[in-house]
Amino acid sequence: MPIISPSLLASDFANLQSEVEMINNSNADWFHVDVMDGSFVPNISFGLPSVKAVSKHAKKPLDVHLMIVNPDQYIQAFADAGAEYLTVHYEACNHLHRTIQAIKDAGMKAGVALNPHTPVSALSEIISELDLVLIMSVNPGFGGQTFIKAAIEKVAALKKLITEKGASTLIEVDGGVNTQTGAQLIAAGADALVAGSFVFKSDNPKSTIDDLKAL
Ligand code: DX5
Ligand code: ZN
């Protein structure tokens, strides 16, 4: 069964507590929280106070996806805000190894996200250090975009790399995930699926989560 991490970006921000309770009472595994800075990506979303507010009510791990430049300066702050997984972008880190170490030193699990143009091979020297790799199947910044099919091959390549290196890294995919694309991603080796619009814009988000969980 895949890990399902609904993306709160597509939730109703004016009713965030009830959205969090819905996830608490569903079969979802994590909360995916998208942090954007208007610089690394052309959009702004949650900040630290919102992550803290979600964390207060969330009964499942917070899977925080940082789409920000200079993530190093906020690592401790996100640990304090309640993040369990902290994922930084490969493209935003000059010294990725140091960043990963700092995330772990702060007591969190460390993830690296890859933009659609970044090859999986970029992680070959660091994969054993990573708890999670997030394959972006859209260009980060917005919900509701069209799934980029090349992500499926990237998942397969990443699975191969993880196996070759004897690593235990989880493979997560984010962007345009629904039951159709999700099934292909699972077949290619994905462990965790992020879904925003597909869950929150559906008539019955809890049963949509069940549909993803059943893949
Ligand atoms: C996009 C975010 C995603 C977003 C996915 O930059 O990282 O987590 O919420 O949205 P959907 O599932 O609608 O593509
Ligand atoms: Zn995300």
Side-chain angles (χ1 to χ4, degrees):
M1 269 194 194
I3 292 165
I4 304 301
S5 191
S7 170
L8 287 175
L9 188 64
S11 71
D12 179 357
F13 284 16
N15 290 297
L16 201 47
Q17 188 177 347
S18 67
E19 300 283 49
V20 170
E21 294 301 347
M22 183 279 286
I23 304 290
N24 281 341
N25 296 322
S26 77
N27 288 318
D29 300 274
W30 297 343
F31 286 84
H32 187 80
V33 186
D34 290 296
V35 176
M36 304 179 188
D37 65 354
S39 179
F40 181 72
V41 288
N43 199 5
I44 297 175
S45 58
F46 290 97
L48 278 161
S50 320
V51 176
K52 210 173 271 184
V54 168
S55 164
K56 210 174 126 195
H57 298 283
K59 298 200 175 92
K60 298 172 183 189
L62 261 53
D63 163 33
V64 178
H65 176 193
L66 295 186
M67 285 161 273
I68 65 173
V69 295
N70 299 323
D72 300 68
Q73 56 185 317
Y74 299 107
I75 289 171
Q76 190 57 51
F78 278 103
D80 296 342
E84 181 155 336
Y85 283 84
L86 192 67
T87 296
V88 294
H89 264 266
Y90 172 84
E91 303 82 8
C93 298
N94 289 329
H95 303 284
L96 186 60
H97 191 276
R98 179 187 289 151
T99 306
I100 293 307
Q101 224 44 60
I103 293 173
K104 291 182 172 178
D105 288 348
M108 295 175 286
K109 300 209 172 72
V112 173
L114 298 182
N115 274 340
H117 73 278
T118 305
V120 161
S121 59
L123 298 178
S124 64
E125 304 307 318
I126 199 168
I127 191 74
S128 311
E129 312 280 332
L130 305 180
D131 296 299
L132 180 146
V133 173
L134 181 58
I135 299 281
M136 291 307 301
S137 40
V138 296
N139 284 292
F142 303 91
Q145 301 182 83
T146 306
F147 182 78
I148 297 171
K149 288 197 183 71
I152 297 166
E153 278 168 39
K154 283 178 77 174
V155 168
L158 179 57
K159 183 79 185 172
K160 190 164 171 270
L161 177 66
I162 290 169
T163 309
E164 275 169 14
K165 301 274 183 182
S168 52
T169 315
L170 292 174
I171 302 176
E172 186 176 36
V173 187
D174 184 7
V177 171
N178 53 37
T179 41
Q180 209 184 347
T181 55
Q184 294 173 281
L185 293 164
I186 300 294
D191 303 293
L193 300 176
V194 175
S197 329
F198 188 65
V199 167
F200 286 99
K201 310 291 184 217
S202 72
D203 291 339
N204 187 342
K206 279 209 286 200
S207 76
T208 302
I209 290 167
D210 289 339
D211 294 343
L212 290 167
K213 199 70 197 159
L215 291 176

